Amino acid sequence: VQLLNGTYLEGLVRPGASGAMSVYFMGGAKIDLAAHDVAYVHSSNRSFMPTGLTKGLSDAQVADLLHYIKTLK
């Protein structure tokens, strides 16, 4: 997300009402943006999950990890 003031934000974007949006960052921080503050939104194919994180884990361990992640608020 690029803001009109030139700031760049990178995170998970969730749409809100009237063109507003929320950007969620790694670590749990969130920022709410009004539509009139946003210049440009660009999607990326990058993932928050580090490459190779599940390498060496069993299917059960991956399932446990995903279950844990879903419990985080």
Side-chain angles (χ1 to χ4, degrees):
V1 176
Q2 181 180 358
L3 304 182
L4 290 174
N5 68 7
T7 302
Y8 287 92
L9 303 171
E10 186 174 320
L12 178 64
V13 176
R14 293 286 186 214
S18 302
M21 66 185 68
S22 296
V23 181
Y24 295 84
F25 304 97
M26 290 178 57
K30 175 185 106 166
I31 188 169
D32 296 317
L33 302 171
H36 60 81
D37 292 328
V38 177
Y40 182 75
V41 178
H42 172 75
S43 63
S44 171
N45 292 331
R46 289 185 8 186
S47 171
F48 282 134
M49 186 179 296
T51 302
L53 178 68
T54 59
K55 188 173 184 148
L57 298 179
S58 69
D59 289 345
Q61 289 171 316
V62 172
D64 288 345
L65 174 62
L66 292 175
H67 175 75
Y68 170 72
I69 290 170
K70 288 179 182 179
T71 66
L72 300 175
K73 301 269 178 191

